[in-house]
Amino acid sequence: MFLRTILMLSTVMVLAACSSDEEAAMNTSMPAGAVGGVAGDGFGQGGAAPIGGVVPGSQQDLVVNVGDRVFFALDQADLTSEARSTLDRQAAWLKQYTNVSITIEGHADERGTREYNLALGERRANSVKSYLMSQGVDGSRIQTISYGKERPAVTESNPSGWAQNRRGVTVVN
Amino acid sequence: MTRFLFLFVAALTFAFPVHAELRIDVNRGVSEPIPIAVTRFVAKDSAGIPLADGIPSVITNNLEGTGLFRPIDPKAFIQDENSLQTEVRFPEWKSINAQGLVTGAITKAPDGRLRVEFRLFDVFGQQQMSGMAYMTTPQNWRRIAHIISDEIYKRLTGENGYFDSRVVYIAESGPGTARVKRLAIMDQDGANNRFLTDGANLVLTPRFSPNQHVLAYLAYVGGKPRVYIYDLQTGNQQVLGDFPGMTFAPRFSPDGSKLIFSLARNGNTDLYAMDLSSRRTQQLTNDPNIDTAPSYSPDGSQITFESDRGGTQQIYVMSASGGNPRRITFGQGRYASPVWSPRGDLIAFTRMYKGQFYIGVVRPDGTGERLIANGFHMEGPTWAPNGRVLAYFVEQGNSAKIYSVDITGFNRRVLKTAGDASDPAWSPINP
């Protein structure tokens, strides 16, 4: 019923998440970055002090001072206590910058099949969205997208790499 | 690209009655391949000269690729192709241990088309097993070679061939964190490769419609992952419907009238079917779990799919309208990406257990599970049109390749693609 229209596809469109992926790759190469993601995302602990030149309410502000991502256990979309504390900070930050809208990217590691990982990434992104809404962020400010296993943060095929790739990343639109 | 271009003009008879003795039992699994001599075709005029070697070379490559035949080096041949047009000196072919013999001739017809004829002989039985003639335009000569290969395969194995078919896949390039993926299509032997998209949008899981006029696939366009339809005749791409969430994992019904797919929204993934002429959509599953990777049975009456409703990913079968889902896999680990054989007798799947990936088959009632390949990491089986051969993809580090394998697990080999490749879908026999 909701699909009467068939939209024409323009031939070339830029992938919306390119810039966020580049940032994600940069983040994980930082010494205090996402490495060891299961134990905690690291950004919050290391990023309490504002850094000069960061625009308040920007993606960089989110990454440096709040933490832009949470991590999941294998085949799970439940939020860990570390994830919840990161999202508590994100919720507070979003209430401070009320004109900011975001997209939550859900990602999976490589150890699953293509279609299932797309569904799992969607489940993870919605898990993050639901939690932010429960903390008072208006759902109309939050979009979600799943990348399944298509956009890993790191390419290491080992437990540490997989842990960094099972993630939900908050991206300022 | 339609069959009428390849007009079958004649069955060529021979003096002896046909009761074939030469026969390959394809169910033997690993066996000694049958030695077969594929001779140069005779060009009866200048138009045929470029193809006199080309057609037998494509046939040789097809037959060799099945693992069931061992083409004999033409240097060993005693009788030349010209004298074969009038008589077959069977003792000479017997002396080089050829069990099968393929001969052919190419003539230019008055309308400019080519007339290609071939004959297949049983050397030890000293008789003709098959003889056919086809008309085609010169630029479509490879299809004639595939059609002849299918006829030889059928005569010698009793099973339908799969050479006159195509594969659509995802061509991959670039670093693992920002992989560029493009839709690509090729003949099953890797010839005539064409890229259909430019890589600007992420694309995944292309599938053929039964008539091969259109593909369904997942594309990320403008931040929205949705199922798209690609028209192979016009190059036109359209999004399928206007859905309030991600649509993915598309597959056509066997008659081409419907598309089944998953719709994910609010953290839940269910299965839907869309009638492609009315564009009406029917919801097939409604539970709070992930239901995805649906595939119709060849008669269209049932759907196999994967779901984690039982706690982990497992394979289920239900009616095409969504009723009576029943689980068919119960082994250790997780099962995914089921795809129904075009013969209807088996469902191929990906299984994950203790960090390893397997490709396997199981009967639709859940009995007779067999694993036929394993490694880290492989997934996404697709059936060759004869239901005997599977293709799937293997990823290792930053490389991705498509493999084919007989359902006995025999004859595993890399499918020729344009660079790294994943998500294969094998077409039916070309229309």
Side-chain angles (χ1 to χ4, degrees):
Chain A
M1 38 202 78
F2 39 71
L3 31 94
R4 235 167 302 146
T5 31
I6 301 164
L7 304 172
M8 293 298 299
L9 167 65
S10 60
T11 41
V12 182
M13 295 190 81
V14 178
L15 192 67
C18 277
S19 59
S20 66
D21 282 333
E22 282 157 20
E23 279 159 358
M26 278 162 44
N27 294 339
T28 50
S29 64
M30 288 161 57
V35 180
V38 164
D41 64 275
F43 292 115
Q45 293 117 354
I51 291 172
V54 173
V55 178
S58 69
Q59 181 71 31
Q60 196 186 4
D61 184 21
L62 181 70
V63 170
V64 173
N65 297 315
V66 178
D68 69 336
R69 62 193 58 201
V70 297
F71 300 97
F72 297 90
L74 176 65
D75 203 11
Q76 297 297 316
D78 299 337
L79 297 170
T80 62
S81 55
E82 290 88 347
R84 280 195 296 272
S85 69
T86 301
L87 295 179
D88 286 341
R89 291 194 303 277
Q90 286 190 11
W93 185 82
L94 286 164
K95 281 184 232 172
Q96 190 180 343
Y97 302 103
T98 50
N99 59 336
V100 168
S101 68
I102 56 170
T103 298
I104 313 288
E105 299 177 354
H107 298 270
D109 72 26
E110 63 180 339
R111 292 174 304 161
T113 42
R114 181 94 64 220
E115 295 90 344
Y116 187 83
N117 277 347
L118 289 167
L120 181 59
E122 202 267 349
R123 202 186 246 175
R124 285 175 174 162
N126 273 277
S127 179
V128 170
K129 178 178 177 175
S130 298
Y131 187 83
L132 290 174
M133 287 170 68
S134 77
Q135 297 307 301
V137 181
D138 189 334
S140 67
R141 298 170 63 191
I142 309 174
Q143 290 180 307
T144 59
I145 186 169
S146 171
Y147 283 100
K149 58 177 172 179
E150 302 308 314
R151 289 289 178 262
V154 298
T155 54
E156 282 79 10
S157 188
N158 57 36
S160 159
W162 295 326
Q164 291 175 68
N165 289 334
R166 293 190 301 266
R167 69 201 193 278
V169 181
T170 300
V171 179
V172 173
N173 292 339
Chain B
M1 290 301 285
T2 50
R3 179 74 82 173
F4 67 81
L5 294 172
F6 306 94
L7 186 65
F8 164 76
V9 291
L12 309 170
T13 53
F14 203 64
F16 304 100
V18 176
H19 43 91
E21 295 169 13
L22 180 56
R23 182 99 168 189
I24 297 171
D25 180 359
V26 290
N27 295 310
R28 275 190 308 197
V30 181
S31 61
E32 197 57 37
I34 298 291
I36 189 165
V38 183
T39 65
R40 199 162 183 272
F41 278 28
V42 173
K44 299 213 167 154
D45 43 54
S46 60
I49 290 171
L51 308 181
D53 289 310
I55 289 175
S57 155
V58 168
I59 295 170
T60 299
N61 180 56
N62 282 338
L63 296 179
E64 199 274 332
T66 65
L68 299 169
F69 301 91
R70 181 175 62 76
I72 296 169
D73 186 343
K75 290 195 195 84
F77 298 172
I78 301 163
Q79 186 177 8
D80 70 85
E81 67 267 17
N82 290 309
S83 65
L84 276 167
Q85 297 299 306
T86 49
E87 59 157 349
V88 180
R89 299 197 290 269
F90 288 109
E92 291 182 10
W93 295 103
K94 210 167 167 177
S95 74
I96 61 166
N97 288 319
Q99 293 187 31
L101 169 66
V102 176
T103 70
I106 307 163
T107 324
K108 190 176 181 182
D111 64 1
R113 289 187 302 163
L114 297 177
R115 181 181 191 275
V116 180
E117 61 176 67
F118 92 101
R119 295 173 193 266
L120 168 68
F121 296 95
D122 174 355
V123 171
F124 286 66
Q126 304 209 358
Q127 61 189 357
Q128 180 177 314
M129 296 180 75
S130 178
M132 303 276 191
Y134 302 92
M135 303 286 288
T136 188
T137 52
Q139 65 269 27
N140 286 319
W141 67 272
R142 293 188 74 92
R143 278 202 65 194
I144 287 292
H146 292 313
I147 289 167
I148 292 171
S149 303
D150 282 332
E151 171 65 13
I152 295 168
Y153 183 92
K154 186 170 186 175
R155 286 295 176 151
L156 294 180
T157 68
E159 307 234 2
N160 290 325
Y162 55 90
F163 305 113
D164 185 28
S165 62
R166 294 186 289 175
V167 174
V168 63
Y169 67 98
I170 297 296
E172 301 191 10
S173 59
T177 52
R179 203 77 164 143
V180 174
K181 297 198 171 189
R182 295 197 281 169
L183 274 183
I185 189 169
M186 63 180 193
D187 295 349
Q188 54 78 27
D189 62 353
N192 294 318
N193 188 83
R194 226 168 19 115
F195 297 107
L196 303 176
T197 60
D198 61 7
N201 298 319
L202 175 62
V203 290
L204 299 168
T205 62
R207 310 292 180 213
F208 277 106
S209 69
N211 65 15
Q212 298 186 50
H213 291 161
V214 293
L215 306 172
Y217 62 103
L218 171 62
Y220 284 67
V221 178
K224 288 186 173 183
R226 296 288 187 272
V227 171
Y228 280 76
I229 302 288
Y230 188 106
D231 187 320
L232 283 165
Q233 289 166 329
T234 64
N236 193 27
Q237 297 167 66
Q238 289 188 335
V239 70
L240 182 83
D242 179 19
F243 289 93
M246 172 173 64
T247 52
F248 63 109
R251 228 181 258 280
F252 288 91
S253 62
D255 66 1
S257 69
K258 288 185 201 149
L259 200 68
I260 33 173
F261 55 92
S262 283
L263 167 61
R265 53 173 170 171
N266 304 325
N268 180 33
T269 296
D270 283 316
L271 297 176
Y272 289 74
M274 180 190 276
D275 183 282
L276 290 170
S277 52
S278 70
R279 301 277 165 173
R280 284 182 50 185
T281 300
Q282 181 191 2
Q283 183 168 358
L284 300 178
T285 65
N286 186 6
D287 63 83
N289 302 291
I290 292 173
D291 299 331
T292 190
S295 166
Y296 279 100
S297 61
D299 67 0
S301 70
Q302 297 177 87
I303 291 169
T304 182
F305 64 101
E306 62 169 89
S307 175
D308 63 358
R309 60 183 65 184
T312 61
Q313 270 173 291
Q314 297 291 340
I315 296 172
Y316 292 76
V317 170
M318 67 180 179
S319 80
S321 55
N324 267 326
R326 59 190 190 278
R327 179 171 160 181
I328 64 161
T329 53
F330 294 92
Q332 289 176 297
R334 296 181 287 158
Y335 290 76
S337 50
V339 55
W340 217 304
S341 157
R343 286 184 186 182
D345 56 342
L346 293 170
I347 291 169
F349 57 78
T350 307
R351 183 173 168 186
M352 293 153 279
Y353 178 57
K354 289 196 169 169
Q356 284 290 300
F357 283 69
Y358 302 82
I359 302 297
V361 293
V362 64
R363 292 194 200 100
D365 67 0
T367 63
E369 177 180 332
R370 279 189 293 121
L371 300 176
I372 59 182
N374 91 293
F376 187 90
H377 140 214
M378 58 175 59
E379 66 174 278
T382 179
W383 290 95
N386 71 348
R388 265 222 71 85
V389 175
L390 284 168
Y392 55 93
F393 72 93
V394 176
E395 286 178 343
Q396 261 174 331
N398 210 22
S399 104
K401 288 183 169 59
I402 298 173
Y403 281 75
S404 67
V405 67
D406 190 88
I407 52 169
T408 57
F410 150 77
N411 195 38
R412 185 151 94 98
R413 52 179 76 209
V414 176
L415 227 65
K416 192 179 156 202
T417 51
D420 281 348
S422 60
D423 288 6
W426 211 313
S427 79
I429 288 288
N430 288 330

